[in-house]
């Protein structure tokens, strides 16, 4: 779904998973600095939007998701996962409930598959699920922004900003009230800096939540009764995940950024120990990346990400 905000001056369209919105508007670092200072907005209108209504919506979602949502207070933002029977991550949901409707946004293109799964699990529950992507768009406002949010149908308040569920028909008009536009490259650089995993970037077909630090934000360890819960409990109580997410400070003398999926090796060794999940150019830190590596990779080892040296910050303990 192509955003009307691609018509803004300087807009350069993103490619790949973020196709449909702007990668940047001509000055990546200026856009990052504005967001870090609480100014501007990011067009995330390519993301999928799902709504759930009905009196049983929260108790029903509670049975399906990794998060405790049966008593989710109105306006309280949370995130959750849908796992496979073997505990592998299939969907990542970012949600808020307004007292009548649960609003969810997901990765671009993921809404149809998730809605299909949710529909198949309704059974006798009094709940209605809808793919509302054509009606609503997601817009991000950074922490500290004083932009008006009255146009939004729902708002997710987060430590680093706010996600607005905005009527899509009002997207272009509302953007004029939000300040300077920043592209998804700026948003991604701040996400990587914040160690926040993203489905399809930090995950592959065998990722379990422990590997990418989702236990703290998207999994409630005291609840059961959801698909994949046995794996979550077993790894948490009896072992450690086979891989761990790391943050890399990359050598700034290299011009290239390692691409998603690029091999990661320990310096001086030939055998890969993992792969790059996300990389970005940060306005203060320079080139940075997230990578998924084998758990036993030494935490003090210099890693080569597609040949670019980088030192590690531990996210998931070894």
């Amino acid at each position: 779904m192509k955003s009307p905000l691609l018509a803004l001056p300087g807009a350069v369209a993103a490619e790949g998973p973020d196709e449909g919105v702007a990668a940047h508007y001509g000055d990546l670092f200026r856009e990052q600095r504005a967001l870090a200072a609480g100014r501007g907005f990011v067009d995330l209108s390519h993301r999928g939007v799902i709504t759930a209504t009905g009196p049983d919506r929260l108790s029903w979602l509670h049975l399906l998701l990794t998060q405790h949502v049966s008593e989710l207070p109105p306006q309280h933002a949370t995130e959750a996962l849908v796992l496979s029977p073997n505990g592998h991550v299939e969907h990542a949901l970012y949600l808020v409930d307004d007292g009548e409707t649960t609003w969810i946004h997901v990765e671009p293109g993921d809404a149809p598959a998730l809605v299909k799964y949710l529909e198949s699990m309704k059974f006798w529950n009094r709940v209605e699920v809808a793919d509302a992507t054509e009606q609503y768009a997601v817009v991000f406002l950074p922490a500290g922004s004083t932009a008006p949010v009255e146009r939004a149908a729902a708002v997710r308040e987060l430590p680093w900003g706010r996600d607005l569920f905005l009527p899509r028909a009002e997207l272009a008009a509302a953007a004029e009230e939000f300040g300077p536009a920043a592209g998804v490259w700026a948003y991604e650089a701040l996400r990587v800096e914040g160690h926040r995993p993203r489905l399809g970037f930090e995950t592959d077909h065998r990722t379990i939540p422990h590997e990418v630090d989702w236990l703290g934000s998207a999994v409630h360890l005291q609840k059961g009764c959801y698909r994949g819960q046995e794996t979550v409990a077993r790894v948490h109580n009896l072992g450690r995940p086979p891989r761990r997410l790391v943050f890399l400070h990359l050598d700034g003398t290299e011009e290239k950024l390692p691409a998603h999926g690029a091999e990661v090796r320990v310096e001086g060794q030939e055998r890969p120990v993992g792969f790059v999940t996300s990389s970005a150019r940060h306005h203060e830190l320079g080139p940075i990346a997230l990578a998924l590596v084998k758990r036993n990779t030494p935490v003090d080892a210099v890693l080569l990400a597609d040949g670019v040296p980088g030192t590690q910050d531990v996210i998931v303990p070894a």
Side-chain angles (χ1 to χ4, degrees):
M1 190 170 292
K2 187 175 180 179
S3 172
L5 302 189
L6 284 171
L8 291 177
V12 175
E15 299 178 348
D18 290 323
E19 182 180 3
V21 296
H24 62 85
Y25 294 88
D27 192 336
L28 170 62
F29 291 151
R30 175 186 59 78
E31 294 165 29
Q32 284 187 43
R33 287 191 291 268
L35 292 178
R39 302 190 305 272
F41 73 98
V42 182
D43 176 13
L44 299 177
S45 61
H46 61 318
R47 293 185 64 82
V49 175
I50 297 170
T51 58
T53 56
D56 296 337
R57 67 189 182 281
L58 290 177
S59 58
W60 169 72
L61 285 170
H62 184 80
L63 297 175
L64 304 177
L65 306 181
T66 56
Q67 190 58 272
H68 196 300
V69 297
S70 60
E71 299 165 8
L72 185 68
Q75 317 308 329
H76 182 84
T78 191
E79 56 189 89
L81 308 172
V82 172
L83 305 181
S84 74
N86 292 323
H88 301 137
V89 179
E90 292 189 342
H91 303 281
L93 296 74
Y94 303 85
L95 57 124
V96 67
D97 193 88
D98 64 10
E100 296 182 354
T101 301
T102 303
W103 296 83
I104 302 165
H105 69 79
V106 296
E107 285 296 323
D110 195 41
L114 180 54
V115 167
K116 183 178 179 180
Y117 168 71
L118 293 176
E119 286 284 355
S120 73
M121 301 300 291
K122 283 170 60 174
F123 303 118
W124 61 87
N125 292 281
R126 297 169 297 170
V127 61
E128 295 297 328
V129 180
D131 183 344
T133 308
E134 292 188 0
Q135 291 76 43
Y136 293 93
V138 180
V139 172
F140 173 77
L141 300 180
S145 171
T146 59
V149 299
E150 290 79 8
R151 293 176 184 265
V155 179
R156 293 184 71 242
E157 293 280 354
L158 304 161
W160 53 87
R162 288 175 286 180
D163 293 338
L164 309 186
F165 292 86
L166 196 70
R168 191 170 289 275
E170 299 187 27
L171 178 60
E176 298 180 5
E177 305 172 355
F178 293 155
V184 290
W185 282 5
Y187 180 84
E188 283 291 284
L190 299 181
R191 178 185 69 82
V192 172
E193 177 195 18
H195 305 168
R196 295 190 292 275
R198 183 176 173 187
L199 184 74
F201 287 71
E202 279 61 58
T203 69
D204 58 18
H205 68 283
R206 57 193 180 96
T207 300
I208 60 176
H210 318 61
E211 296 178 322
V212 295
D213 201 33
W214 255 327
L215 288 190
S217 61
V219 176
H220 193 286
L221 291 171
Q222 275 68 56
K223 77 174 286 274
C225 302
Y226 61 87
R227 193 171 70 176
Q229 186 266 341
E230 295 84 356
T231 297
V232 170
R234 183 172 64 253
V235 174
H236 178 69
N237 293 321
L238 301 178
R240 296 180 179 179
R243 302 178 296 180
R244 59 185 180 88
L245 191 67
V246 298
F247 177 84
L248 297 179
H249 297 271
L250 298 173
D251 185 344
T253 63
E254 298 284 348
E255 293 187 3
K256 68 177 181 179
L257 276 177
H260 171 77
E263 285 187 353
V264 172
R265 296 182 291 108
V266 174
E267 189 175 43
Q269 299 182 11
E270 293 299 321
R271 196 166 188 172
V273 295
F275 64 93
V276 174
T277 61
S278 300
S279 61
R281 298 191 185 279
H282 191 274
H283 70 288
E284 291 182 338
L285 301 176
I288 56 177
L290 295 172
L292 199 59
V293 301
K294 293 180 179 178
R295 178 179 58 81
N296 59 1
T297 303
V299 298
D300 57 350
V302 173
L303 300 181
L304 300 179
D306 196 18
V308 180
T311 57
Q312 304 174 57
D313 282 354
V314 174
I315 299 174
V316 176

